[in-house]
Every structure is written in C-alpha cells, then in structure tokens.
Amino acid sequence: MEAIARKPSYSLSTSVPLENPPRIIPYSSSQTPTQQPQHQFPTYLENPDVSPMARILCEILTKTPPQGLENALSSTLIKPAPEIVEEVLNLSFRSPSAAVVFFRWAGMIQKHSASCWNLMVDLLGKNGLFESMWDVIRSMKQEGVLSMATFVSAFRGYCSLDKFNEAVMAFDLMERYGIHADVVAVNSLLSAICRKDNEMAKALEFFERIKTTIPPDADSYGILLEGWEKEGNVAKAKETFGEMVIRVGWSPQNMAAYNAFLTTLVRGSQVDEAIKFLEIMKGKNCSPGLKFFSDALDTLIELNDTAHVVALWDMMASSRLLPNLRVFNSIIALLCDNNDIDGAFGFLDKMVFYGVFPDSLTYNTIFQCLIKNKKVREAGGFFFEMVKNEWPPTHSNCAAAIKMFFDGYDPQMAGEIWTYMFRNHVLPLEESSNAFLIGLCDMGRLTELRRLAEKMLDRNIGIKESTMAKLKHAFNKDGRSTTRDAYDSLIRKWKSS
C-alpha cells in the first residue's frame, strides 16, 4: 500500500526501464491515461443490480473533487468489505484516479483480498497507467498476493492498447517476481494478442521464441488456430495444425482447435481439403460436432457452392449427426435458388429419417421454386400436399401460382388456390384476387369474371385500377351490348366501393 501512495520525485519524461517499474500515484496530474473507448467500461449508472452501499461509494467517486474524496468516503461510515471493494472497482474503470484513492482508503481500513489487488492491476492496465500498474504489482509482491492472474491482467492491459512488445517483456519478468512462467502463462499472453485484429504475426513471433523453452499444449495451438481463422490465413493454419498433430497428437478434447482449422479451410475455399481432413479425423475418433457442420454449410450456402454443400452433408450424415430444421431449410433454399428441384425434393424426403419435420418455410421455398420454373403439374400436386399437412402457401406464392396456372392453361388449379385462400382467410387477398381476375380476362371467361368481380367488391376486396382497365378492354372487345352493360354495372359498383 505504501508503494501506490508514495509521490514521485522524478520527471516522467525520464526513460525508466520496465525491469525497475517506478512508484507513482496514478492520479498524479503529470500522468495521462491512455483510455480505451469509454463504452467498454460499465458504470454503476448502467447496472441496475448495484448494491446500495456500492452505489453510494460510486456516486462519491464520480461526483466528488479529488481533494475531497477521502473525507467524503470516510463520512459514509461504510466498512469496505472485500466484496464491496470488488464491486466498486469493477464499476470504476472510467475513473482510474478516483478508483486508486478509493483503493488506498479501503486498504487502510481492511486488508485487501487478492482479487481486489488484481482488479487494480486490470483497471490501471486498461487505462494505460502502466507505471502505476507496476507499482501495484510490486506492492502485491510485498503483500504476498502476487499470482499468475496478476500477470494475465497485465498482459490484457498491454495488448488492449496494442503494446505487444511490453506485454512480452512483462512475461519475461514473471520469474523475477516469483511467478513461474509456464504454458498457462504462455497461453494467456497468446490469447491476449490474438484477440486483437491482424496481430497474428506478433503472436507467432512470441510463440516461436518461447516454445523452445516451454513446450506448448493443445490449448496453445487452439489459440493460434482460432487466430488464423479470424485472419483467414489458410497457409499458416495448415502449418500450425500439422505441428499440433505432431507435438500433441489427436484427442476429441481438442475439438475447438480442429473446428477452427476446418472452418479456415472452408472459408478459404479449400473445401476439398477440409473434407480430406474430416475423413482423417473420423478415423481418429475426432469428428467435429453439429455446430461446425452447420456453420460450414452456412458459409458454403453464402458462396452458392451447391456441390460442396452436398458433399459436406454426406460427411455429416456419415458421422451420425442429427441435422436440425434450420440446416435442412438452408440446404433446400440453396438448391431451389439454383433451380435444383429434384435435389430439393430429395432433402425434403430425407427429413423424416432424421426426426425433422418440414415447416412453412420448407414448403413455401419449394413451392416458389416450382412456380419460378413453371412446373405446372408438380406445383398443383405440391399445393395439395401443403394444404394436407397444414402448411399453406403464403399469399405472395398464391398470387404467383395463380398467374402461373393461367399461363400454363390450368385455370381450374388457379381457381382451387383462390378458393382455398378465400375460404381459409389467407390474407391479404388483393394480389391473388387481381391475378385471378386478369387470368379469367385473358381467357375471355367474361361471365365468370363478372360474377367473381362482384363477389370481391361485396367482400371489400380491392380491385386495382389497372385490373379494371383490362376488364374494360375485354368487355368492349366482346362487342355485345349486354356485355358492355355488364361492365358498366361493374364499374359503377367499383367506383362506389
């Protein structure tokens, strides 16, 4: 505690080696924090579950001038138990200077827990107050509470502000502070570096140097593989994966690393390579789970890669995984987008064997594909199957189907769909109704057309002006006075509706 209370007697412009970190007070006006984006640090104002005592202390820290903080804190008569100190520190990352005053005040009343000390290291590091962070670390050593977690916080602080060389130097200093630098420390630093975008070169540089003295484990390679996945570096992922297999062998417990590697291959358009490795993994009893296959299929669907989607599906099925409805719908949608109707029906038939049942999206995706490809006979039969299974077409698919059936000279089927919509209140009806009227109009079925139009107007179903114009042309073309009279009656009714 004395270390962080002692005032500096030197200029901050003097270069001080990291091996001999200085002792200063973090709230010194001569030290400027290197702030993280403020939204990353929560405050008590954004947390509805703050305890009453912690809320009081947080309000003092944010609203009281620095010179009056200690007196204001003391006036509360609150005993700063370790859990209260931790809560306040967790909510004070935006106010590092006030947090240090609070930490010192609380420590004079009650001994700090190791967690509280580590929180201070985390707070100072993430605010770029590294000299003060080292001052706290030295105090922790004197108090006997220094641990691996302390240095993990230091690594995160440096890396969060892109000070990777300093983070590595901190790793190199661990032994001097009595903390053994083992593979857990290596992985902690690797993870901190790899969290940052486009910094895998730094992570690899550290890894290559340290692996000669501290043997990496599966987690080490998993962290690197996840980093290569994020960067999309297929070549480096292959190198790392190959070294991992040689050094640590195969194990189902390393699935996160395998998933990262395979995902990198898939996103890098090396699906054939991914499938080759999947075959090897299957032989090693290390097949990935449904999440990998689902994510990989999503990637291939985005790339419109139907051939590899089917190949990956076959691999998934051979692994005895049970795909869910979302996977089936995604594959069916891709096949339909590529007009592979037979393939879509094949996957529809497979669903029941995996205990999965189609839903409205499944049926409407296939129905839309049949309409788009003008499969008149197949669409008619599929419509009845949809209705039978209580997954009717959407109103937009119905409108498109009615037009297609008229174009395909099957007005009876068009009538079946409109009647079903009308009787079962598949809303809105306007689009389908207008399509039905235009179809009858084009076929010259004027008597049926007039009767249906009047029925629609009686039911307040809107008929478009463009539709009425086509009706006028059809009735006038007929030439008979009775037909023209029928249209006049219809137009009067339309205008009054």
Side-chain angles (χ1 to χ4, degrees), residues 65-84:
Q67 61 272 18
L69 268 178
E70 288 196 30
N71 288 337
L73 290 168
S74 298
S75 68
T76 63
L77 301 180
I78 294 175
K79 183 178 180 181
E83 60 271 16
I84 295 296

Side-chain angles (χ1 to χ4, degrees), residues 108-249:
M108 291 178 179
I109 300 172
Q110 182 163 319
K111 187 178 178 69
H112 285 307
S113 67
S115 297
C116 292
W117 281 102
N118 284 329
L119 262 176
M120 276 306 301
V121 172
D122 198 31
L123 184 150
L124 294 170
K126 287 181 178 175
N127 278 283
L129 296 165
F130 298 114
E131 292 177 331
S132 301
M133 179 189 78
W134 278 105
D135 209 24
V136 172
I137 291 174
R138 253 169 68 165
S139 296
M140 292 179 72
K141 188 175 187 302
Q142 294 171 0
E143 295 284 330
V145 291
L146 201 59
S147 66
M148 176 73 73
T150 309
F151 280 89
V152 171
S153 292
F155 301 156
R156 286 199 297 252
Y158 278 124
C159 292
S160 68
L161 295 171
D162 299 333
K163 295 183 178 293
F164 305 107
N165 291 336
E166 289 86 345
V168 174
M169 290 171 69
F171 176 89
D172 292 337
L173 285 174
M174 290 178 64
E175 298 284 355
R176 298 191 189 184
Y177 281 81
I179 305 300
H180 178 55
D182 58 10
V183 71
V184 175
V186 171
N187 294 345
S188 298
L189 179 50
L190 279 176
S191 179
I193 299 173
C194 292
R195 281 197 187 99
K196 302 292 287 187
D197 292 336
N198 303 314
E199 296 295 345
M200 284 301 297
K202 291 285 186 183
L204 187 61
E205 180 185 349
F206 168 69
F207 178 77
E208 291 295 337
R209 174 174 72 85
I210 206 67
K211 73 181 183 182
T212 59
T213 55
I214 303 175
D217 62 7
D219 288 339
S220 312
Y221 291 104
I223 293 166
L224 289 175
L225 287 168
E226 288 174 0
W228 298 132
E229 176 193 351
K230 187 165 66 171
E231 287 196 359
N233 194 324
V234 176
K236 287 296 184 183
K238 286 183 178 179
E239 289 179 17
T240 302
F241 183 78
E243 183 177 323
M244 175 183 179
V245 171
I246 293 170
R247 279 184 171 258
V248 301

